[in-house]
Structure formats: C-alpha cells, structure tokens
C-alpha cells in the first residue's frame, strides 16, 4: 500500500540559506500535518492543511511557510535557516478528523 | 493547552519480560494514539483508542484507555528485541492536530 512520501530524505544547508521540503500524502487523504522533531525531543506540531486550506498552526516560526497544492501534496518552505532548525521534519496525512495519522519517514535537515 | 506525560522516560528490560508504559493527559482524551519510532525514522502507527474503557491488542502489544479517558497504558508481553524503540503517545483534542508525549525509550537486553 502507498505510504506518505517525503523528499528529500536528507538535506544539508548552511545558515541563512533556504530549504523546501516536500510531502506527498497517501492517495485520497485530504489532511496534511507537519511536525518538527529535534534530537531527543518529541515531535512538535508546526502546521496543518485540510482541503488545501490551512487548518491549524502550531509553533511554526515566521521564517517558515507552507502550503497544500491542488494534488494535495504539501511543501514546507524554510528561509534564513538557523542552526536550531536542524531537526527531523515529519509529514503526516489522514482523511478526516480523529483518524489515525500516517507518517512519512521524515526529512533530516542539518544546518551547518 | 493539553499536555501528555509519559512514564517511564526510559525502560530497560530483559528479553522475554513484560512491561508497561503509561500516558497521562491533563485533559479528557478524544482520541489516544500510540506510535513507535526507531531512531531517526518515521512514526509507525500502533493503535488508536477513543472510547473510555477501550482495549485493543495487536500481536503482543495491548493498549487500554481508562474509563475517564485521561490515561492510557501500553503493555508488551514477552518482550523481544524487535520491540526496542521509542514509544510515543499522541492525543487529538476537539481540534484536528495531534500532540505527543515526550516518549518512552525502550531497550531490550538479550
């Protein structure tokens, strides 16, 4: 069965650069979530989209933006990268509220 | 805001032993999720509980949600090396995002 696809798997950037992370949800899933997980930390909710509209916002810095496209894939854009942005970024998708989230394998971002 | 507290933070057990991980919420749970994570990898869905008193099992893992829907436990019977990893409980409130506890790191000794 198809799973949530994230790309790239690994990304190395320097401070003040920009990065774009992509997420392709499971077919027919209409909701996408983005989470950030620092080393040894629990995943922190960043932002979510339902039917291409932002549905909720968590602890996402102003330097980050995201959107969901007509094909339901989502992109997380990160600008002016800081060392503290180094983390594992997860995308999860679901269909409906209070349904189980399926997570991608994550994008490991390293900011040098 | 809702907070989830997991205990213990880490656990080391001998292979073949049983173990229990707990998750306590500061508010009533509308949906309680258990996920497993290997280091640096994605979260694998284990179980979701929604009704007070609900209990679900999958292979050697059993999860329960108490009647008041503020606490859940995950029980592993006859642990195996494949059970090692980080177990995260997640809770969905009235809105549609899931927040996570800080995780329980499980190590299995051969």
């Amino acid at each position: 069965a198809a799973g949530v696809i994230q790309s790239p798997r690994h990304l190395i950037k320097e401070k003040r650069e920009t990065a774009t992370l992509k997420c392709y949800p499971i077919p027919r899933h209409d909701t996408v979530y983005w989470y950030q997980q620092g080393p040894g930390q629990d995943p922190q909710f960043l932002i979510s989209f339902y039917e291409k509209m932002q549905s909720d916002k968590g602890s996402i810095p102003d330097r980050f933006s995201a959107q969901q496209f007509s094909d339901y894939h989502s992109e997380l854009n990160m600008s002016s990268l800081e060392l503290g942005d180094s983390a594992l970024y997860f995308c999860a998708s679901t269909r409906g509220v209070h349904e189980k989230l399926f997570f991608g394998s994550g994008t490991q971002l390293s900011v040098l | 805001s809702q907070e989830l507290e997991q205990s213990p933070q880490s656990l080391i057990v001998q292979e073949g032993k049983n173990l229990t991980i707990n998750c306590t919420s500061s508010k009533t749970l509308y949906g309680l999720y258990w996920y497993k994570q290997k280091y640096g990898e994605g979260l694998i869905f284990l179980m979701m509980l929604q009704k007070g008193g609900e209990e679900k099992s999958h292979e050697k893992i059993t999860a329960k949600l108490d009647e008041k829907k503020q606490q859940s436990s995950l029980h592993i019977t006859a642990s195996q090396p494949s059970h090692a990893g980080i177990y995260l409980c997640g809770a969905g409130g009235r809105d549609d995002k899931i927040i996570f506890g800080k995780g329980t790191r499980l190590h299995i000794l051969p």
Side-chain angles (χ1 to χ4, degrees), chain B residues 14-62:
Chain B
Q14 199 77 38
E15 182 178 353
K17 297 293 186 182
N18 303 335
L19 63 105
T20 300
I21 299 169
N22 294 301
C23 176
T24 302
S25 172
S26 59
K27 296 183 180 180
T28 299
L29 295 161
Y30 291 92
L32 189 286
Y33 307 79
W34 284 102
Y35 284 86
K36 179 185 174 185
Q37 183 181 28
K38 293 282 191 181
Y39 178 75
E41 298 181 9
L43 281 67
I44 300 169
F45 174 81
L46 296 176
M47 273 170 276
M48 180 177 76
L49 304 167
Q50 291 182 297
K51 299 177 183 177
E54 187 174 11
E55 178 176 323
K56 288 187 177 179
S57 294
H58 177 66
E59 297 180 345
K60 295 185 178 181
I61 301 176
T62 300

Side-chain angles (χ1 to χ4, degrees), chain B:
Chain B
S1 61
Q2 187 169 32
E3 292 185 357
L4 294 177
E5 186 173 326
Q6 282 188 242
S7 62
Q9 289 185 336
S10 65
L11 193 55
I12 303 173
V13 299
Q14 199 77 38
E15 182 178 353
K17 297 293 186 182
N18 303 335
L19 63 105
T20 300
I21 299 169
N22 294 301
C23 176
T24 302
S25 172
S26 59
K27 296 183 180 180
T28 299
L29 295 161
Y30 291 92
L32 189 286
Y33 307 79
W34 284 102
Y35 284 86
K36 179 185 174 185
Q37 183 181 28
K38 293 282 191 181
Y39 178 75
E41 298 181 9
L43 281 67
I44 300 169
F45 174 81
L46 296 176
M47 273 170 276
M48 180 177 76
L49 304 167
Q50 291 182 297
K51 299 177 183 177
E54 187 174 11
E55 178 176 323
K56 288 187 177 179
S57 294
H58 177 66
E59 297 180 345
K60 295 185 178 181
I61 301 176
T62 300
K64 301 177 184 179
L65 181 61
D66 75 351
E67 291 289 344
K68 293 183 179 180
K69 296 175 64 176
Q70 285 197 267
Q71 188 170 25
S72 177
S73 60
L74 185 83
H75 185 77
I76 299 178
T77 304
S79 58
Q80 300 170 350
S82 60
H83 288 129
I86 302 169
Y87 289 81
L88 291 156
C89 67
R94 286 191 176 274
D95 55 31
D96 61 349
K97 66 176 182 285
I98 291 180
I99 60 166
F100 289 93
K102 296 197 179 300
T104 294
R105 284 150 181 78
L106 175 62
H107 305 272
I108 307 294
L109 298 177

Side-chain angles (χ1 to χ4, degrees), chain A residues 33 35 37 42 90 98 101, chain B residues 35 37 41 93 96-98 101:
Chain A
Y33 301 78
Y35 286 84
Q37 186 178 32
D42 54 299
F90 287 110
H98 300 316
L101 264 61
Chain B
Y35 284 86
Q37 183 181 28
E41 298 181 9
D96 61 349
K97 66 176 182 285
I98 291 180

